[in-house]
Amino acid sequence: MGIDINHKKDRKVHRKEPVSQNVYLRLLVKLYRFLSRRTNAKFNQVILKRLFMSRQNRPAISLARIVRQMKLKQREGKTVVVVGTITDDKRIFDVPKLKVCALRLTEGARSRIIKAGGSVITFEQLAVEAPLGQNTIIMQGRRTKREANRHFGAPGLPNSHAKPFVRLRSRNHEMARGRRKSRAYKA
């Protein structure tokens, strides 16, 4: 009799290619797969890995966050690389001269960057300019910014700040039984 092998943990869950069938994304994958294989730059491996990611793991980043991060003296004149979308932020008034590379930019963000004397390049152009990721800063948006993240956890428990799924926030909705001594018990 042979040993019964446990196949429970056989499936490796990490992407080797993007799920999207977008032709342009797949061409970028081809390009960065080549660069990550032929160069020993960690930059290309990071970009390739992020090109595979789902949209939830490639959250948008606002122009305000980019401007704030680029204020440091040592980051001056470097290219901002975002594997995702750059969105406009009306809360900032003056945008400095920036050089950005992103998968997508909203119209407002693109026009404000160009108006400030900056430039927007694609990943193909970046591969020509900086094949090893020289003078670049990789940035990404906050993954926990999604509204769904506020509901993670157990609402109602002590010291839990998880947001309950309720229609209204009032004394009658998840505020009575279990929340006050006068209604059965208080947790």
Side-chain angles (χ1 to χ4, degrees), residues 145-163:
K145 194 74 180 73
R146 284 170 58 223
E147 210 275 334
N149 280 61
R150 296 180 184 189
H151 296 282
F152 293 168
L157 288 182
N159 303 321
S160 167
H161 297 287
K163 185 179 179 181

Side-chain angles (χ1 to χ4, degrees), residues 82-94:
V82 178
V83 185
T85 308
I86 296 175
T87 55
D88 191 10
D89 201 328
K90 294 279 191 287
R91 293 170 299 184
I92 51 164
F93 300 113
D94 46 338

Side-chain angles (χ1 to χ4, degrees), residues 50 56 99 111 114 118-119 131 166:
R50 289 193 188 174
Q56 266 184 29
K99 186 175 185 183
S111 63
I114 291 166
S119 59
V166 287

Side-chain angles (χ1 to χ4, degrees), residues 25-63:
L25 181 68
R26 287 188 169 259
L27 280 169
L28 277 184
V29 166
K30 232 177 214 185
L31 170 65
Y32 276 92
R33 193 168 264 153
F34 170 81
L35 284 172
S36 67
R37 190 180 73 240
R38 296 295 295 270
T39 64
N40 56 1
K42 186 83 189 290
F43 173 83
N44 292 322
Q45 290 169 11
V46 171
I47 296 294
L48 181 65
K49 188 180 74 177
R50 289 193 188 174
L51 286 170
F52 295 164
M53 286 181 180
S54 63
R55 273 182 63 186
Q56 266 184 29
N57 290 323
R58 287 189 286 108
I61 185 169
S62 75
L63 203 53

